[in-house]
Amino acid sequence: MDPEVFFREWRRRGPDERRSLERARALAEVLRLPDADRPVLAVVGSKGKGTAAAYASAVLAAAGLRTGTVTSPAYRSNRERIRVDGQAIGEGELEHLAGGLQDAMRRLPGRTRGYLSPSGLFLLAGALHAREAGLDVLVLEAGMGGRSDEISLFPPTVAAITPVFREHAGVLGDTVAEIAVEKAGAVAPGTRAVVSAPQTGEAAAAIAETVRQITGGVVEPEAPPHAGCGLPARLLPAGLARTSAETGHLAALRFLKALGRPAPEAPRLRAVLETITLPGRLSWHTVPGTGTALLADSAIDRAGIAAALATARDRWGAIDHAVVCLPDHKDLDGAIAELGDLPVTYARLPYDRLRFSHPLPEAWDVADAADLTPERLAGLGRRLVVLGTVYFVGLVLDTVDAGTERLFQVP
């Protein structure tokens, strides 16, 4: 079965057409989802969702629960969007799930307005796989929103909220507060706990009020302790990802408590967390066949870019070149300010939905992302920093043959 089914309606969407949550809900009903036998830990936010989902999943797997994880987008393969105990599913399993979705989609009424989004279809496929494989729990990462995202079809036992900022303005809301309300809207009346990363005052107030309204005042958002989550620094990622990792860790502990399960024993938890790899999140690589070292990070704003550059300089002392891919709707002004006098190659992606028209510094080179071969990357220097959207960083990870099959290992 062709996995193209995940993208078919999205690719055929009309001008200004948006995804249809109602159509996704109808498809979920045909698939008999959600499945009450598999409790859900939901992860929403503007940045760091993948890190929080990885750490939450690792904690739950260390506690002895067979854990399904659905994240979006993928890096090198769409199989990575659906994992069991950290391992990406196989090609045959993905094809089987695509067939199940296609059969169910044939039972829907004819499409009139609104399409089934790829991230929503992978979410449904991941839940379907969890049922067929007899998994114990699900960790689900939202695609773009919360209340309007397909993740809202799966009432969570616990929700984790990573940092929220003014992302997708005009789509999710016009202000940080409105966007925070949208994200927190993934919480359900039966949610037992909400763990929120430290937020700006505007976002924190909006999240707290939304959670109170939905849960009838039963649940108050909780943040990781100011002194950290109690894990050694060596078990946590560097830079801004640390906050999301701590949020995922605490959310998993609250999830286990809600299920009446004990937290994993410290030695076992350490053994699992020591194996965590976060591709494209301050991850280190080597360009094949060369001596060129590369730091890859899906930073899309000034703070993230500053953290990535500081991490690279801390290890290398200096950076030879930066490769950046930030469409117009990302914080390109912030990137320009942080990159300063560094040599930069600005990469563009060939998608009509993304605009690359922002004025660039005259000294920057411009290239198509597809032209960034190992040879071209190696020609830029021996210490490279690659920054930008998750999709672009994934293309570079594929170019350097980075390992992305497993997020963590369970002894």
Side-chain angles (χ1 to χ4, degrees):
M1 179 58 61
D2 186 0
E4 170 65 17
V5 66
F6 291 100
F7 304 94
R8 186 174 299 140
E9 290 197 3
W10 172 72
R11 286 180 175 146
R12 296 175 180 174
R13 70 193 185 282
D16 301 322
E17 187 178 7
R18 294 190 176 185
R19 63 182 177 178
S20 170
L21 186 59
E22 287 306 311
R23 189 166 170 79
R25 181 177 288 108
L27 181 59
E29 291 174 357
V30 172
L31 293 168
R32 295 181 291 110
L33 294 172
D35 186 347
D37 293 335
R38 262 151 284 282
V40 167
L41 190 160
V43 182
V44 300
S46 300
K47 185 66 175 172
K49 297 190 295 292
T51 299
Y55 269 78
S57 299
V59 173
L60 297 177
L65 295 173
R66 292 194 70 211
T67 303
T69 308
V70 183
T71 56
S72 182
Y75 280 102
R76 299 188 61 187
S77 166
N78 282 312
R79 296 183 294 101
E80 301 162 7
R81 295 177 184 245
I82 303 172
R83 299 177 185 267
V84 176
D85 289 342
Q87 175 68 46
I89 63 172
E91 194 65 45
E93 291 171 311
L94 183 63
E95 291 178 0
H96 169 74
L97 292 170
L101 285 180
Q102 181 158 294
D103 289 344
M105 289 165 67
R106 291 193 182 106
R107 298 167 60 185
L108 295 181
R111 176 180 165 198
T112 55
R113 187 73 177 166
Y115 60 87
L116 291 167
S117 73
S119 63
L121 288 172
F122 278 104
L123 203 69
L124 293 172
L128 183 61
H129 183 69
R131 182 173 68 205
E132 293 179 347
L135 304 186
D136 298 315
V137 294
L138 271 170
V139 176
L140 303 179
E141 176 192 342
M144 184 171 65
R147 178 174 53 197
S148 65
D149 190 272
E150 290 83 358
I151 200 169
S152 65
L153 303 177
F154 296 85
T157 299
V158 170
I161 305 177
T162 64
V164 174
F165 50 82
R166 196 168 180 269
E167 175 200 41
H168 300 297
V171 178
L172 300 181
D174 293 324
T175 66
V176 170
E178 290 176 353
I179 293 169
V181 169
E182 159 66 26
K183 302 283 188 182
V187 171
T191 296
R192 302 279 294 279
V194 175
V195 177
S196 175
Q199 309 282 354
T200 63
E202 187 180 8
I207 289 169
E209 181 58 27
T210 302
V211 170
R212 291 189 201 106
Q213 289 180 3
I214 294 174
T215 66
V218 173
V219 176
E220 289 283 342
E222 176 184 5
H226 290 297
C229 61
L231 294 174
R234 64 183 177 82
L235 298 179
L236 292 166
L240 301 180
R242 177 169 183 160
T243 294
S244 294
E246 292 174 334
T247 300
H249 170 255
L250 182 58
L253 295 181
R254 296 295 177 261
F255 190 71
L256 289 168
K257 182 178 179 181
L259 299 183
R261 303 272 305 210
E265 296 181 357
R268 181 174 171 85
L269 178 59
R270 284 197 300 271
V272 174
L273 295 186
E274 284 173 347
T275 68
I276 282 187
T277 59
L278 299 171
R281 301 176 185 95
L282 293 177
S283 57
W284 303 93
H285 310 278
T286 300
V287 178
T290 75
T292 294
L294 184 151
L295 172 66
D297 191 57
S298 51
I300 56 172
D301 62 7
R302 183 170 186 172
I305 289 168
L309 296 177
T311 300
R313 289 181 175 122
D314 186 55
R315 172 176 285 202
W316 294 330
I319 299 167
D320 295 329
H321 205 97
V323 182
V324 179
C325 179
L326 292 173
D328 291 353
H329 67 284
K330 303 299 184 183
D331 186 13
L332 191 50
D333 286 329
I336 292 170
E338 286 300 327
L339 290 162
D341 295 331
L342 266 178
V344 174
T345 294
Y346 181 71
R348 300 171 302 192
L349 294 167
Y351 299 116
D352 292 339
R353 70 182 187 279
L354 299 177
R355 295 183 60 81
F356 293 87
S357 60
H358 192 289
L360 303 175
E362 290 184 4
W364 285 21
D365 291 329
V366 178
D368 291 332
D371 294 334
L372 295 175
T373 62
E375 294 76 19
R376 183 159 184 178
L377 289 172
L380 299 176
R382 297 181 64 84
R383 297 163 297 189
L384 307 183
V385 175
V386 173
L387 305 165
T389 64
V390 171
Y391 182 79
F392 168 70
V393 172
L395 290 178
V396 175
L397 293 181
D398 196 46
T399 298
V400 302
D401 196 26
T404 57
E405 283 286 298
R406 185 178 285 279
L407 291 179
F408 58 84
Q409 290 183 308
V410 182

